[in-house]
């Protein structure tokens, strides 16, 4: 009798779990249209749903990220590379130093300044060793516009309004800094191995290998693979290889996995390679409708992964993470979002061609997201931070959650205001 009761209870829990998965997938399809043009976002809804589940007796599995570090690392890794492919396919602007000056400034100025400022705050507020402080600065530095659709470029299009300077800059920045934050994470690992003694780290090797060589390998792999795939997709002599004629969307995953895998095998940065591959494929035939098919497929996969991860993040934060938080951690998270990023983003754009309103929106809307979770899971797979895993997860989770809430609420009104100004200005105001 007890065995029958146990089996029935297990079947009931499984049924509830699958019902929740189905409801979540359905919501991921419906919510973007329901919240469109409203000061709300799909990530906010899933984050809130996860937080609510942490308060209710639902059959959600154990979500301790420290105990499930490998699982978290690979799931977030998959989400990031799929989103990078989608971001690269959406960008229609040909590469050029002047055309890409906006994201270039944010990568070259804002990224390192954010790492340094956040690390300094962690050292001052939390009294952490420099290795841990540098790690939290590195993993919270990359941005993730995927979590606020209003501030990124939409589906591939030739329309100029869809790729205004703000949307383009934020999308390209996230595509690049998701990979270029890696050298700073590796610097934190090297510093931890040296006992937080700066002089003990081989900084020449870090600069030459981790900063320059691995990034160059990622770019090279991305360019070569992207051009090869672009030629195959659009200009192959054999019809069966000219995949643009068959509109197979899942090929986007093939390109994603190939770029990431080959770059990692070559000891380069796979994130950089995926984004560059996507940009090179788009450049092969910019106006072709196949890009919409590829982008649409990646966007659907990305949406499902992001929704699931944010649900789990909300659940973890309420069920476990809040207990590890201190007021100093919350202060650091708020400072990063409302002071550090806006200030460093503004400094990077001084003298840039955009107007002051565009510079403010670009500086403010640097979302933190799934990339931060990946970098933390990756770093905790190495020695040096085991004793602080609980605090690192709590601080990262609350920072990402605050970013999702604040930026998700503010993105639609801010971008909508800029769009209205662009529409009115040609008629009623001088440029």
């Amino acid at each position: 009798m007890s065995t029958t009761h146990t089996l029935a209870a297990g079947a009931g829990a499984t049924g509830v779990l699958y019902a929740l998965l189905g409801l979540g997938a359905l919501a991921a399809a419906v919510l973007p249209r329901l919240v469109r043009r409203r000061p709300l976002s799909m990530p906010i809804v899933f984050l809130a749903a996860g937080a609510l589940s942490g308060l209710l007796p639902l059959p959600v599995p154990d979500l301790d990220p420290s105990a499930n570090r490998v699982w978290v690392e690979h799931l977030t890794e998959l989400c990031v590379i799929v989103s990078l492919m989608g971001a690269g396919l959406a960008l229609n602007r040909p590469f050029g130093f002047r055309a890409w000056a906006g994201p270039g400034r944010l990568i070259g100025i804002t990224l390192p300044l954010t790492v340094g400022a956040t690390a300094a705050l962690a050292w001052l507020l939390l009294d952490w060793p420099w290795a841990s402080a540098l790690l939290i600065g590195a993993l919270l530095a990359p941005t993730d516009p995927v979590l606020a659709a209003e501030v990124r470029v939409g589906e591939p299009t030739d329309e100029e309004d869809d790729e205004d300077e703000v949307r383009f800059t934020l999308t390209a920045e996230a595509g690049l800094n998701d990979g270029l934050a890696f050298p700073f994470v590796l610097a934190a690992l090297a510093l931890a191995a040296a006992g937080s003694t700066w002089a003990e780290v081989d900084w020449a090797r870090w600069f030459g290998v981790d900063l320059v060589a691995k990034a160059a390998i990622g770019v090279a792999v991305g360019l070569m693979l992207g051009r090869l795939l672009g030629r195959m997709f659009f200009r192959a002599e054999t019809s069966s290889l000219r995949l643009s004629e068959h509109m197979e969307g899942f090929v986007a995953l093939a390109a994603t996995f190939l770029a990431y895998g080959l770059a990692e095998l070559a000891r380069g940065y796979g994130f950089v390679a995926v984004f560059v591959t996507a940009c090179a494929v788009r450049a092969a035939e910019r106006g072709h409708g196949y890009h919409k098919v590829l982008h649409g497929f990646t966007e659907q996969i990305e949406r499902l992964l992001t929704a699931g991860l944010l649900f789990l993040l909300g659940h973890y934060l309420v069920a476990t993470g809040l207990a590890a938080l201190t007021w100093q951690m919350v202060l650091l998270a708020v400072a990063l979002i409302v002071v550090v990023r806006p200030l460093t983003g503004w400094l990077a754009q001084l003298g840039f061609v955009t107007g002051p309103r565009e510079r403010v929106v670009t500086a403010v809307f640097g979302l933190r997201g799934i990339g931060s979770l990946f970098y933390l899971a990756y770093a905790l797979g190495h020695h040096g931070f085991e004793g602080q895993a609980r605090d690192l997860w709590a601080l990262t989770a609350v920072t990402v959650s605050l970013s999702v809430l604040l930026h998700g609420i503010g993105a639609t009104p801010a971008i909508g205001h800029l769009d209205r100004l662009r529409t009115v200005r040609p008629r009623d105001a001088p440029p």
Side-chain angles (χ1 to χ4, degrees), residues 179-180 183 209-221 267-269 272-273:
L180 296 179
V209 177
D210 295 338
L211 184 63
V212 177
K214 292 187 176 183
I217 291 171
V219 172
V221 170
R267 302 300 177 92
Y269 291 134
V272 174

Side-chain angles (χ1 to χ4, degrees), residues 305-382:
L305 291 171
T306 302
L309 285 169
L310 288 175
F311 179 88
L312 296 177
L313 179 66
H315 183 97
Y316 155 74
L317 192 60
V318 170
T320 307
L322 290 178
L325 281 177
T326 64
W327 69 266
Q328 292 95 333
M329 291 182 187
V330 176
L331 180 60
L332 174 58
V334 172
L336 170 64
I337 295 169
V338 304
V339 179
V340 174
R341 163 63 192 207
L343 181 58
T344 58
W346 177 266
L347 289 174
Q349 297 177 87
L350 290 177
F352 195 43
V353 294
T354 54
R357 293 186 184 89
E358 285 81 2
R359 288 198 291 271
V360 167
V361 173
T362 302
V364 168
F365 285 95
L367 275 90
R368 271 58 198 168
I370 306 303
S372 298
L373 303 177
F374 164 76
Y375 279 126
L376 178 54
Y378 173 86
L380 291 177
H382 298 75

